[in-house]
Amino acid sequence: MDISPYSLGATLYMPATRSDILDVILHNKIPELRSLVICLEDAVSDIDVHTALENLTTLTHSLADYHQQATTQHSYANRPLIFIRPRNIAMATTLLHDNQYKLQTMTGFVLPKFTLDNLPHWERLLHEQPFMCMPTLETRDVFDVFKMQQLSNTLAQSSFKEKIIALRIGGNDLMSVLGMRRSRCSTLYEGPLGYTIKMLVSVFGVNGFSLTSPVCELINNPDLLQQELQQDVDHGLVGKTAIHPEQIKHIHQAWQTTSIEFADAIQILNTQQSVYQSNGAMCEPATHRRWAKKVLDRRAHYGLKTENEQPIQRHL
């Protein structure tokens, strides 16, 4: 399964106890949704785990039946990507090996509390499974650059890399490690996670991994969300966790490309020049080619921003 990390967009987390997940997936209850996570971990209290698993059983059976009865590929193809977030490896093992769960319509798993220590366990569990995965970086190890370099290098040399769409940065868990909560007045980048995100982008990006941005839990502050989204894009992140449907449109708009970015990317990938000027900036295809390919990928999934400026090509 070849899935671009840019196809994730705003990934909405939904507790597995919710009764409307089937409507969200099949009946377009949240029209712009591109990916969702059915959460059995932090979003479900200990006393509700049994109910959540029963709900998941019913949901997976309903989705499997619908898929089997679909008359055309199109009738099912427009559903969002669906991931399950188990509480731990033991629960994931049960989900994969207990026949009561019909997982054939699931895209994959979000792997909680992902570390170098538990990587071998996830590798063994998912090795022969068809599912993609999104490991979550959310433990105290994340603040140790040497441990993150070791994890990145180990993943890069492993066949498990082919299963990873993107790594998720668990902002609230990381703030919890520090005994803190994000400010209501500033973006994540203005607090202690600013350094952490920059470090993770560098350490994992050098090995070709994509990362998604933590949730903005300030639901009623769209201006702050948009400021943070611009910083997410500037840091090369590929999507963002959402906790409310109102956030989805803002997140998707943030990853649209500008006409200048698109024009530069097209020329960088097609020119024979080694260096030239475009729209007041130097373009050097030898160093900008990876960026240009990412711009075209973003544009394919989100289109161009609505804007008035027209790129003017000027050459040295």
Side-chain angles (χ1 to χ4, degrees):
M1 188 184 300
D2 186 16
I3 300 175
S4 166
Y6 286 111
S7 64
L8 297 168
T11 303
L12 184 66
Y13 275 59
M14 301 184 71
T17 50
R18 284 185 58 156
S19 60
D20 63 341
I21 298 177
L22 189 65
D23 285 338
V24 170
I25 294 171
L26 296 182
H27 303 138
N28 207 31
K29 184 175 181 180
I30 305 176
E32 297 181 354
L33 186 64
R34 300 189 181 197
S35 63
L36 68 91
V37 175
I38 302 169
C39 186
L40 291 152
E41 197 205 12
D42 292 342
V44 176
S45 63
D46 291 342
I47 61 173
D48 290 328
V49 171
H50 180 70
T51 301
L53 289 172
E54 286 187 334
N55 197 39
L56 182 65
T57 302
T58 302
L59 175 66
T60 58
H61 278 259
S62 298
L63 288 172
D65 290 344
Y66 183 90
H67 184 249
Q68 188 173 8
Q69 296 168 11
T71 56
T72 65
Q73 184 178 4
H74 179 72
S75 65
Y76 195 72
N78 290 333
R79 69 172 175 83
L81 302 173
I82 311 169
F83 299 86
I84 297 174
R85 184 184 188 182
R87 292 175 94 78
N88 46 45
I89 294 173
M91 179 181 280
T93 302
T94 299
L95 294 175
L96 287 167
H97 295 144
D98 191 328
N99 291 331
Q100 71 173 309
Y101 303 104
K102 304 294 184 182
L103 302 182
Q104 59 263 41
T105 61
M106 300 294 106
T107 308
F109 288 85
V110 170
L111 314 184
K113 311 294 188 291
F114 190 75
T115 65
L116 187 63
D117 290 337
N118 61 42
L119 166 59
H121 301 285
W122 287 114
E123 280 187 298
R124 285 194 296 270
L125 180 61
L126 294 169
H127 174 64
E128 295 184 354
Q129 297 289 342
F131 304 108
M132 304 298 289
C133 64
M134 293 194 288
T136 307
L137 305 172
E138 55 186 348
T139 67
R140 63 186 302 120
D141 286 3
V142 174
F143 296 107
D144 187 327
V145 64
F146 299 107
K147 288 184 178 180
M148 291 299 98
Q149 287 175 330
Q150 190 176 4
L151 177 58
S152 176
N153 292 335
T154 301
L155 278 175
Q157 297 166 15
S158 167
S159 60
F160 195 62
K161 179 180 182 180
E162 303 306 314
K163 286 186 170 290
I164 297 175
I165 301 175
L167 294 105
R168 308 195 71 79
I169 303 174
N172 282 343
D173 282 87
L174 292 173
M175 292 294 281
S176 176
V177 170
L178 301 175
M180 300 178 67
R181 184 180 181 184
R182 68 171 293 154
S183 167
R184 290 177 176 267
C185 304
S186 57
T187 71
L188 277 178
Y189 294 88
E190 297 167 80
L193 288 195
Y195 154 76
T196 307
I197 294 173
K198 295 175 192 296
M199 178 267 287
L200 292 174
V201 168
S202 301
V203 167
F204 286 92
V206 73
N207 282 323
F209 292 103
S210 299
L211 294 97
T212 65
S213 172
V215 67
C216 180
E217 63 193 57
L218 304 174
I219 299 169
N220 296 324
N221 194 337
D223 290 339
L224 188 65
L225 171 62
Q226 289 178 335
Q227 292 177 37
E228 188 165 293
L229 283 166
Q230 184 58 58
Q231 292 171 309
D232 290 336
V233 175
D234 289 345
H235 283 77
L237 301 174
V238 298
K240 193 172 186 69
T241 300
I243 56 171
H244 193 280
E246 285 297 316
Q247 295 180 327
I248 294 174
K249 61 183 177 183
H250 298 294
I251 294 172
H252 290 172
Q253 288 170 0
W255 268 274
Q256 292 176 331
T257 58
T258 67
S259 58
I260 290 177
E261 287 176 321
F262 181 56
D264 279 349
I266 289 291
Q267 188 161 2
I268 286 168
L269 293 174
N270 290 284
T271 187
Q272 299 299 314
Q273 294 179 276
S274 58
V275 63
Y276 58 91
Q277 178 180 274
S278 174
N279 293 292
M282 182 190 77
C283 288
E284 190 176 34
T287 58
H288 294 154
R289 201 163 276 120
R290 281 186 65 193
W291 169 86
K293 290 178 179 178
K294 289 181 178 181
V295 168
L296 296 191
D297 199 6
R298 278 174 52 199
R299 194 259 185 183
H301 285 90
Y302 297 103
L304 294 174
K305 291 184 184 295
T306 302
E307 54 192 357
N308 295 322
E309 88 274 8
Q310 293 297 321
I312 302 172
Q313 300 294 332
R314 291 196 287 272
H315 307 293
L316 293 174

